[in-house]
Amino acid sequence: VRGFFGRVNLARLDRGLRRSLPHPDRALAAQAFDARFYLVRNPDVAAAGVDPLGHFLEFGWREGRDPTPDFSIDAYLAAFPEASATDINPFVHYLKAGKPRLLPADPPQGFRGEILERLEPVENRLKAVLTKSILLSQPEDLGNALQKSSTGLARLHITFSHDDFTAHMGGLQAALQREAASIATHGREHLHLFPVHPWPVVRTAAEPGALGVLWNGERLGVFSAATVAEALATTTTGTDSAGRSFAIHSLLGHTADETADILQAAGLSAGYFWLHDFASLCAGFHLLRNDVADCGAPSSDSAACEVCVYGPWRARHLTEHAKLFSRLKLTVAAPSEATLDFWCSRTSLPVAATALLPHATLHPRGVARAQVDRPFRLVYAGLPVAHKGWPLFQALAVRFFDDPRYEFIHLGARTAANLPIRFEQVIVGPSAPGAMQDALEGLDADAVLVWPLCRETFSYVAYEAAAAGCAIITGPDSGNVAAFVAEGDHGWVIADEAALMAAFESGEVCALSRARRRPMLYDLTYSALTADLSPQGGNT
Amino acid sequence: VKVLCYSSFTFSYLNRARVLFQSLRRFHPDWELVALITDCPPPGFPFDPANEPFDRVVWASDLGIADFESWLFRHDIVEACTAVKGPFLYQACASGADAVIYLDPDTALFASLSPLEELLETHDILLTPHLIDPNDDHAAILDNDLSASRTGIFNLGFVAVRTTGEGVRFARWWNDRLLRYCYDDMPNGLFVDQRWCDHVPALFDKVKVIRDPGYNVASWNLSTRKLSIEKDGRILVNGALLRFWHFTKLGAVGDAMTKRYAGRNFPVYEVWAWYKRQIAMTTDTAIPDRWWTFGAYADGEPIEKAHRVLYRERADLQAAFPNPFFSGAGSYQEWLEHEGA
């Protein structure tokens, strides 16, 4: 039910909301309702200009729209089925019942069993993209924009990724924004190309697709790859390409030949290929076999690949990347040594050179303030999603929430279940890039659970946690998280999930408390990716 | 060693057989793969064996079973598909192959079965028991150990023989028994082809009971088998390489049993999810659900199990109606309507 709410029905709103009497539960609900959150999550309600609380009480709760970031209608109904049987607003039920604690039942087949039950074959994900219509812009729009370049695109920087980094939020998008900002600061021009619809895999020539174009950060329109190549060729013909550069951040939704053709049209063949993920090794670019476990990229003919939902698609990714690497001279750039070493051990692609540049760097700022004796504070930072390890945090919280040795806190944009723990909304964005680090430091959190199921190429959360003086608790399959922890003595790499639970059971984990560690605090500086690496870089 | 590998099924299990034979081709391109089919292609389904992942088809009606229609009528679908395994195995022993392997259509390989070829150098008969470790939990004993006591110690979703010596002696004995006594009649000590094989270690020499946990993994032994998928790509069962899985009871019943005994051992669900995807890909919608040519009289009316049991118990009916599938005047079906009631 959630995730698809349809549009607000205005006629129904008239009937429902324009009643003279206030809703009988209004006063009670008003004490806890978060109107701002409700309007942000439900743009249709905001657009209709109606009273958010009135909408929630009359319709919203029936449509599964949550009233606050820390109350989930679905989770509450799952825990208290009697609330759904009586046609009572679950939020009102919760408030009247004195905010009962929810202990989500652990499914007998484990959370991975549940993920596997819902596992969608890649074919289905692809079908969803292939049925979307593509509306192309006028080719002149692109040609005219490029023609306006006063330098004949002499210092052009071209990037490819899986989406429009100005329109979506995430670690990679933030990184691309930094790269774009640095390019702009140095007076260079920037052409960013992305598939107009998000693709789950790389595209092949036989499949229709078009490129969204960002020109110096502005959305220019949607063009075929041939149009982009032609416009570049027309504008740059007979000019020197030495001042130009390119970076391929992701090939998802692109084809190798189109990508190489576009670069060739701009006179480019040598540039950067970034390892933000492992799409160059498999269509399952997180190397998360069947979305439940790190696979380690074994041989394609292995039994593990045979049973994996990404197995049949791996050849496509290997072939397209092989084509890309054969047509271009690519320097492979990685945000961590662990990523680069692992990738090199699993590929035979012809690499021109390698480069290492972490997205963030720690700079010591002093020792954290001394702590008095208090319960051990474990934080989960970020979205409550399985591949980032939320089910493990949830299991710890449910098991130990009433243990006086521990406190469990979730910091993030929203939370999932109504766990008996503290939730604080933290939104990291361009205006507040340090919000998570500030929140962690403000709480004097002892440790952050950073236990992704998949091999991370880089983990911002891990760096933010270390900068805030928190220990990082992670597992062995977490890629650069485990490497970062081990290298810098930033916490504890625990052998497996059973050992994690045991460390809390025994209290051994309290060795990571701030009082016992007296941690350093750090400032973080962030890289501008290719703009910091490229010889054309930012330098004039 | 020349190996012939066969499976016995009807068109409603063609999807499963395709998955099995594809996996056999992957690991054993040199084996001769034979589909033993007790059915006729449904109308509207263009069956072309050349496009199937097996080398040839043998129709049950071509096995030379005396009074075939009369014989077949005495069996329901499961009984019929298991009964024909015996005659085929015996005949295959004279086909020029050195070894013959039977696999149920709802099995699939995850690694090579070449260790079987080695075992057959020193043994003539290979069997896989339902259980190789006892259960201790009461519910698990009821579900698994006692169930195996009723239905047979060995699971006959797999058997392998040398085509000489004790192997062929077994094949002949099994052929004889299955032609006469391949019924689901547990009170009388019969469970199709399976209970018979409880006798094998007593009746034959050179029998190898395979106690390797990588063979014939199924819901009935998951309580004592733990799966892991390694980073080198191998799938292990209690540390041994997973060779083949038996996907018994695809659907809600199988899911419930699997969940009960796999618990949090999630690689089990990965293997099952793979199987369901393979089945979805190999299912042909032109084959009607639950299709079986011999499940109905000539006029299309379904044959009740009781009609079969009555017929097999009465020699006079067998003599009077040599083809009991007929409909209309003078047929067994007509006789049932008037006399049988």
Side-chain angles (χ1 to χ4, degrees):
Chain A
V1 174
R2 291 181 67 204
F4 179 76
F5 299 138
R7 302 282 308 159
V8 162
N9 179 330
L10 287 171
R12 199 185 55 165
L13 273 177
D14 275 348
R15 288 196 301 279
L17 292 181
R18 295 188 186 169
R19 297 192 304 204
S20 47
L21 283 175
H23 193 283
D25 296 321
R26 190 177 175 92
L28 179 69
Q31 293 168 19
F33 184 74
D34 185 338
R36 200 179 63 92
F37 167 82
Y38 195 76
L39 290 175
V40 169
R41 280 301 289 283
N42 301 292
D44 56 336
V45 177
V50 295
D51 166 40
L53 178 55
H55 181 270
F56 171 71
L57 290 169
E58 200 65 45
F59 313 107
W61 70 270
R62 294 177 199 277
E63 296 162 347
R65 306 187 196 226
D66 294 334
T68 68
D70 58 357
F71 185 89
S72 156
I73 301 242
D74 283 355
Y76 193 80
L77 289 178
F80 296 101
E82 66 270 26
S84 62
T86 54
D87 196 41
I88 290 174
N89 182 330
F91 189 53
V92 172
H93 184 275
Y94 165 76
L95 296 172
K96 282 185 176 164
K99 303 187 181 179
R101 282 168 168 165
L102 277 196
L103 297 182
D106 212 8
Q109 74 274 31
F111 73 89
R112 290 183 174 89
E114 289 201 320
I115 292 173
L116 287 163
E117 226 162 82
R118 298 191 302 261
L119 193 62
E120 186 93 41
V122 175
E123 297 81 77
N124 297 3
R125 308 181 206 180
L126 194 58
K127 229 176 272 167
V129 189
L130 287 171
T131 52
K132 283 187 179 158
S133 56
I134 294 169
L135 207 63
L136 292 179
S137 314
Q138 294 299 321
E140 308 86 79
D141 295 352
L142 179 61
N144 292 342
L146 297 186
Q147 290 290 350
K148 280 187 198 136
S149 164
S150 52
T151 62
L153 307 179
R155 299 180 59 237
L156 174 67
H157 182 58
I158 305 178
T159 53
F160 297 81
S161 86
H162 68 298
D163 73 1
D164 172 358
F165 61 84
T166 63
H168 300 95
M169 260 323 289
L172 175 56
Q173 290 85 348
L176 283 178
Q177 284 173 18
R178 294 196 303 274
E179 177 167 315
S182 176
I183 292 289
T185 305
H186 292 88
R188 300 185 58 196
E189 285 165 316
H190 182 198
L191 183 72
H192 178 69
L193 305 168
F194 57 94
V196 64
H197 300 303
W199 271 65
V201 290
V202 296
R203 195 157 56 78
T204 59
E207 291 158 336
L211 300 174
V213 174
L214 278 184
W215 176 236
N216 297 325
E218 299 290 330
R219 198 129 175 191
L220 207 56
V222 178
F223 305 92
S224 73
T227 301
V228 176
E230 205 182 302
L232 280 170
T234 309
T235 321
T236 61
T237 184
T239 62
D240 182 8
S241 67
R244 296 185 199 123
S245 59
F246 75 85
I248 298 163
H249 289 284
S250 169
L251 204 60
L252 292 183
H254 299 277
T255 80
D257 279 328
E258 282 179 8
T259 304
D261 288 346
I262 287 168
L263 292 169
Q264 196 181 331
L268 289 165
S269 63
Y272 288 87
F273 179 88
W274 276 89
L275 295 179
H276 297 295
D277 56 39
F278 296 105
S280 45
L281 299 180
C282 184
F285 47 84
H286 294 307
L287 300 184
L288 194 55
R289 192 189 62 249
N290 287 320
D291 292 349
V292 290
D294 173 62
C295 69
S299 153
S300 292
D301 63 359
S302 65
C305 289
E306 172 67 26
V307 300
C308 179
V309 78
Y310 300 107
W313 297 85
R314 192 171 179 191
R316 164 192 288 236
H317 273 229
L318 295 175
T319 306
E320 284 298 309
H321 282 88
K323 226 185 277 174
L324 189 78
F325 275 73
S326 75
R327 288 196 55 184
L328 300 168
K329 292 185 206 70
L330 294 170
T331 294
V332 172
S336 64
E337 205 173 346
T339 299
L340 190 57
D341 290 349
F342 173 78
W343 186 82
C344 288
S345 74
R346 293 292 189 279
T347 192
S348 53
L349 290 170
V351 170
T354 60
L356 193 61
L357 181 65
H359 292 328
T361 316
L362 299 172
H363 304 278
R365 168 162 46 103
V367 178
R369 65 186 163 212
Q371 287 299 319
V372 291
D373 216 18
R374 56 157 177 76
F376 182 87
R377 267 180 203 160
L378 181 75
V379 168
Y380 178 92
L383 287 175
V385 290
H387 70 275
K388 296 287 183 189
W390 171 258
L392 304 178
F393 180 75
Q394 179 169 298
L396 285 171
V398 167
R399 170 72 187 82
F400 297 107
F401 77 92
D402 55 357
D403 187 320
R405 293 175 296 175
Y406 303 114
E407 265 181 64
F408 296 91
I409 302 167
H410 176 203
L411 303 178
R414 59 176 171 82
T415 194
N418 309 326
L419 284 177
I421 60 163
R422 188 163 145 197
F423 167 72
E424 282 182 23
Q425 195 176 35
V426 175
I427 298 174
V428 181
S431 57
M436 187 57 79
Q437 185 188 338
D438 294 345
L440 288 168
E441 209 171 315
L443 281 170
D444 290 319
D446 293 295
V448 179
L449 185 73
V450 189
W451 197 298
L453 302 190
C454 56
R455 204 175 277 272
E456 296 273 22
T457 55
F458 185 85
S459 166
Y460 285 97
V461 169
Y463 277 70
E464 287 159 348
C470 307
I472 295 154
I473 298 174
T474 192
D477 289 340
S478 57
N480 188 47
V481 182
F484 173 67
V485 168
E487 262 161 38
D489 197 18
H490 292 301
W492 189 8
V493 183
I494 299 184
D496 57 34
E497 292 162 26
L500 169 69
M501 200 55 98
F504 277 80
E505 202 74 64
S506 67
E508 200 186 343
V509 73
C510 296
L512 296 178
S513 73
R514 283 174 112 86
R516 307 253 288 266
R517 283 184 301 123
R518 293 305 307 282
M520 289 292 294
L521 298 174
Y522 303 87
D523 287 323
L524 284 176
T525 54
Y526 294 97
S527 91
L529 292 88
T530 320
D532 288 352
L533 283 177
S534 159
Q536 295 85 352
N539 308 324
T540 38
Chain B
V1 183
K2 194 176 167 222
V3 177
L4 184 157
C5 184
Y6 75 110
S7 190
S8 171
F9 56 95
T10 65
F11 278 97
S12 58
Y13 263 50
L14 179 62
N15 50 4
R16 291 160 175 85
R18 283 170 167 168
V19 177
L20 165 65
F21 284 117
Q22 280 167 5
S23 73
L24 279 162
R25 279 228 164 133
R26 183 171 171 217
F27 292 106
H28 298 286
D30 52 330
W31 288 7
E32 187 188 14
L33 305 179
V34 180
L36 173 58
I37 303 181
T38 310
D39 205 350
C40 302
F45 170 63
F47 179 57
D48 181 3
N51 288 332
E52 298 292 341
F54 33 78
D55 299 307
R56 63 186 170 100
V57 175
V58 170
W59 302 99
S61 50
D62 294 337
L63 287 173
I65 297 171
D67 305 319
F68 181 69
E69 287 80 13
S70 171
W71 177 85
L72 184 64
F73 191 89
R74 296 169 220 171
H75 302 82
D76 68 18
I77 187 168
V78 175
E79 292 165 344
C81 286
T82 42
V84 296
K85 286 156 67 178
F88 182 84
L89 180 68
Y90 183 44
Q91 292 171 28
C93 284
S95 70
D98 301 305
V100 181
I101 297 174
Y102 173 79
L103 281 164
D104 263 353
D106 55 355
T107 57
L109 271 57
F110 292 88
S112 159
L113 297 184
S114 54
L116 298 180
E117 297 180 48
E118 285 158 40
L119 285 172
L120 285 171
E121 283 168 18
T122 46
H123 299 82
D124 283 357
I125 305 165
L126 310 179
L127 288 169
T128 49
H130 282 106
L131 304 177
I132 56 169
D133 293 297
N135 285 289
D136 295 320
D137 172 69
H138 178 63
I141 290 170
L142 290 181
D143 272 348
N144 302 316
D145 305 42
L146 285 172
S147 163
S149 298
R150 284 191 301 275
T151 62
I153 295 303
F154 304 103
N155 178 264
L156 267 292
F158 165 82
V159 61
V161 297
R162 286 295 299 202
T163 53
T164 53
E166 290 294 87
V168 69
R169 200 164 75 82
F170 160 80
R172 182 184 182 143
W173 166 81
W174 208 36
N175 166 74
D176 294 350
R177 291 297 167 275
L178 299 191
L179 284 174
R180 247 334 258 287
Y181 317 93
C182 186
Y183 301 124
D184 178 355
D185 185 6
M186 285 196 226
N188 286 309
L190 280 180
F191 183 66
V192 289
D193 59 340
Q194 226 165 239
R195 282 297 301 272
W196 283 116
C197 289
D198 287 0
H199 292 287
V200 168
L203 297 177
F204 301 96
D205 282 326
K206 300 181 85 173
V207 177
K208 173 67 182 174
V209 174
I210 298 177
R211 296 191 64 253
D212 180 323
Y215 292 85
N216 214 343
V217 184
S219 56
W220 55 73
N221 53 39
L222 273 180
S223 61
T224 56
R225 298 192 194 186
K226 197 169 163 65
L227 230 69
S228 63
I229 304 183
E230 304 295 311
K231 294 209 197 292
D232 62 11
R234 291 175 307 154
I235 306 183
L236 304 182
V237 190
N238 293 353
L241 202 57
L242 170 62
R243 303 284 176 177
F244 75 91
W245 195 284
H246 197 153
F247 294 93
T248 284
K249 293 196 171 69
L250 172 68
V253 177
D255 286 351
M257 268 321 208
T258 300
K259 267 184 203 168
R260 182 180 301 171
Y261 290 110
R264 294 167 166 279
N265 188 202
F266 65 87
V268 171
Y269 306 118
E270 293 188 65
V271 169
W272 261 104
W274 168 83
Y275 191 65
K276 289 173 181 175
R277 290 197 301 275
Q278 301 308 304
I279 291 298
M281 279 192 279
T282 50
T283 298
D284 197 313
T285 50
I287 300 174
D289 205 27
R290 295 169 173 271
W291 169 264
W292 190 37
T293 305
F294 305 111
Y297 292 101
D299 67 359
E301 188 199 326
I303 300 168
E304 288 175 32
K305 178 76 187 257
H307 297 178
R308 297 185 188 277
V309 173
L310 182 70
Y311 184 80
R312 84 180 173 215
E313 284 171 351
R314 296 255 312 254
D316 59 328
L317 293 175
Q318 293 164 23
F321 306 106
N323 188 338
F325 291 99
F326 286 157
S327 295
S331 68
Y332 175 56
Q333 186 187 26
E334 186 206 48
W335 177 86
L336 279 167
E337 266 173 45
H338 297 105
E339 313 283 334

